[in-house]
Amino acid sequence: MTNGRIRWATPADASALAWVHVSSWRDTYAGRMPAAFLAGMTDAAAQERRRVFWERHVGSPDHVTLVAELGKEVVAFVSGGPTAERDHPSSDAELHTLYALPHAKGLGLGRRLTAMLAEELQARGFQSLFLWVLDVNPTRAFYLHLGGREAGEKIETIPGGELREIRLVWDDLASLIPKG
């Protein structure tokens, strides 16, 4: 476990969120998806689009965005909120993003971020949680370790190929929140 600090994200974190987002994609998906597609999702223009997104999105009353810091550096973040998907009525909240820089992995920050997200969503009246994760994403094992169960899949067609996503579900948010 680490002494990293977790706090609510603010619009001032938008650049750091965008950096962690694209850096995590580069690290996680190199060799796991078409190189040209990955390059387009992580180049300077993509990072700027993500910065603008996070600047607008952070602070939305419907969504939760939390950051983890080591020192003064944002090294990981999580976001979630109500789902827009109507074809999966069994889950009422969605974990939208959980990303960490390579040097922040294995420190317990992802577990803490997920637990704090679950706690906040539960306080807002949500009962369950789901997410979509690429089948080749090594973080899939982390989510399964946290008690997520596989509950379907979908195929996304992208330039240069297809991506297979796995739906993971937690039927009870309380299962993600440490006791005591």
Side-chain angles (χ1 to χ4, degrees), residues 3-180:
N3 292 330
R5 180 173 85 116
I6 296 179
R7 63 172 174 78
W8 285 89
T10 70
D13 294 315
S15 290
L17 292 169
W19 170 250
V20 172
H21 203 149
V22 299
S23 296
S24 181
W25 264 63
R26 276 189 214 116
D27 178 62
T28 302
Y29 297 124
R32 293 186 168 106
M33 63 176 51
F37 177 76
L38 180 59
M41 295 296 289
T42 59
D43 63 11
Q47 186 171 334
E48 177 59 16
R49 285 190 304 275
R50 293 193 189 283
R51 185 197 64 75
V52 169
F53 169 82
W54 288 114
E55 196 170 71
R56 292 180 184 155
H57 188 75
V58 169
S60 164
D62 294 333
H63 293 85
V64 176
T65 306
L66 302 166
V67 299
E69 294 177 314
L70 292 176
K72 294 185 186 264
E73 179 189 20
V74 172
V75 296
F77 72 93
V78 69
S79 70
T83 179
E85 292 190 7
R86 298 293 163 232
D87 55 340
H88 296 290
S90 63
S91 299
D92 54 3
E94 182 174 0
L95 190 157
H96 299 294
T97 59
L98 176 60
Y99 294 112
L101 294 176
H103 67 278
K105 292 179 181 178
L107 301 177
L109 296 171
R111 179 181 298 274
R112 289 174 54 205
L113 283 165
T114 303
M116 290 178 75
L117 173 69
E119 218 170 357
E120 179 62 28
L121 291 172
Q122 188 178 55
R124 294 178 182 204
F126 294 102
Q127 303 297 312
S128 60
L129 183 70
F130 83 96
L131 64 82
W132 288 103
V133 62
L134 287 179
D135 66 336
V136 296
N137 186 334
T139 306
R140 181 175 164 195
F142 166 78
Y143 295 126
L144 291 170
H145 181 73
L146 290 182
R149 67 174 172 82
E150 294 187 1
E153 66 179 65
K154 66 182 177 180
I155 303 294
E156 295 286 333
T157 302
I158 60 166
E162 293 181 336
L163 300 176
R164 181 174 165 250
E165 293 181 273
I166 306 297
R167 186 172 193 269
L168 295 176
V169 174
W170 290 265
D171 295 309
D172 183 2
L173 276 172
S175 69
L176 287 165
I177 303 168
K179 311 292 185 262

